[in-house]
Amino acid sequence: MAWPRVRLVVTADDFGYCPRRDEGIVEAFLAGAVTSVSLLVNGATAESAAELARRHRIPTGLHANLSEGRPVGPARHGASSLLSPEGFFLGKMRFREAVAAKDVALSQVREELEAQLSRFQELLGRKPTHVDGHQHVHVLPEALQAHGVRFTRLPLERGLGDCTWLEAPARAFACAVERDARAAVGPFSRSGLRWTDAFVGLSTCGRHMSAHRVSGALARALEGTHTGHPLTAELMAHPGYPSVPPAGGCGEGPDAFSCSWERLHELRVLTEPTLQTRLAQDGVQLCALHDLESKRPGEATLATFLESSQP
């Protein structure tokens, strides 16, 4: 399928999670398969990952984390609505449920995000190129990052309902992410945040990633969005070598997904010639965030997307 020329940012999430994950992410960046990374500042290897980013000049943003491991802000010193009795974040679904029930103190959310932004600047010596969220917590309207950050991620992926290969838990999580993202459009716009015209990655995560599915996801995402200028898109990815416990994680050790073969599968799909050839045939050019002329979708593009992606 042909569509207007596309500039694609390929972002590797979870940089700083563990040494083996970081190794794979850097390998993918040096191969030209990844163009941006998102750093977990509460990750086990955040400091060494920051050094790798500086050494290789990797465009790096903040992977804001309110759902896994331990906080870096004031919450680590005492009781907090963000944490379990054991002192860890609540987890991706429990955090969403707590926010919906208004059991989360927004002042504590703000404090933790500001602490993570400050920690990022300590590690990298500059502001992040973007802010996105670990397990997509950043798309909650209550968790806006408007502290000098220009770019973010809006994880609205077209056609998820037709992705029959997604298991029920993955589909349910994707639907929750989509609801949060829709609610965030207005607040993000009013805060002056920018994002790409299209997003893909929920349907191509882990074992589900292939050159065919990435190409198909981009085709669905950009169908009908004829704007007269190059379109922009982001592919969310999680490449790396599998974690080996106890190394890694954000204070609780690595999770099962990080230890599985699925991370290595993504690394191989991203770096093998098949995907790069397919993208070139489809008129897709890889780039970094700072290469994009404009990041906020025009009103017509966004309206077309929101209308056509309604359940």
Side-chain angles (χ1 to χ4, degrees), residues 39-43 46 61-76 82-83 89 108-124 126-128 131-134 137-138 145 147 149 250:
L39 176 68
L40 284 162
V41 297
N42 73 332
L62 172 66
H63 204 42
N65 185 2
L66 298 172
S67 60
E68 181 181 354
R70 295 191 182 275
V72 300
R76 71 183 187 276
L82 302 177
L83 307 180
F89 285 128
Q108 293 174 346
V109 171
R110 192 174 302 109
E111 285 178 346
E112 178 61 24
L113 290 173
E114 289 175 347
Q116 292 189 23
L117 284 162
S118 296
R119 179 60 176 155
F120 182 98
Q121 293 190 233
E122 291 174 4
L123 291 169
L124 273 295
R126 59 166 177 78
K127 292 181 178 179
V131 173
D132 56 33
H134 187 50
V137 296
H138 74 295
Q145 298 93 36
H147 304 282
V149 176
C250 300

Side-chain angles (χ1 to χ4, degrees), residues 170-185:
R171 190 184 301 273
F173 178 62
C175 289
V177 168
E178 184 175 61
R179 286 193 299 270
D180 293 340
R182 287 182 180 280
V185 170

Side-chain angles (χ1 to χ4, degrees), residues 11-15 36-40 60-63 130 132 153:
T11 304
D13 287 357
D14 303 339
F15 199 43
S36 174
V37 302
S38 295
L39 176 68
L40 284 162
T60 306
L62 172 66
H63 204 42
H130 63 278
D132 56 33
R153 171 185 291 165

Side-chain angles (χ1 to χ4, degrees), residues 3-6 197 222 224-232 293 298 300-301:
W3 62 79
R5 185 169 67 90
V6 179
D197 293 312
L222 296 165
T225 54
H226 302 286
T227 64
H229 62 78
L231 293 166
T232 63
E293 297 176 2
T301 303

Side-chain angles (χ1 to χ4, degrees), residues 207-285:
R207 72 187 69 189
H208 302 305
M209 180 177 281
S210 68
H212 174 73
R213 284 179 176 163
V214 170
S215 177
L218 281 170
R220 290 191 302 273
L222 296 165
E223 185 176 3
T225 54
H226 302 286
T227 64
H229 62 78
L231 293 166
T232 63
E234 180 186 13
L235 169 62
M236 174 189 70
H238 301 84
Y241 293 98
S243 300
V244 178
C250 300
E252 302 173 273
D255 62 17
F257 184 38
S258 186
C259 296
S260 76
W261 59 270
E262 296 187 58
R263 304 291 190 169
L264 181 57
H265 173 72
E266 286 200 29
L267 176 61
R268 288 173 173 166
V269 172
L270 290 170
T271 55
E272 287 175 354
T274 304
L275 177 60
Q276 302 305 317
T277 300
R278 184 68 176 264
L279 292 175
Q281 291 172 344
D282 291 339
V284 179
Q285 177 186 15

Side-chain angles (χ1 to χ4, degrees), residues 16 23 25 30 46 59 66 122 135 155-157 176 188 228 267 269 271:
E23 178 186 353
I25 288 172
L30 294 177
L66 298 172
E122 291 174 4
Q135 299 169 339
L156 276 168
E157 182 173 343
F188 276 11
L267 176 61
V269 172
T271 55

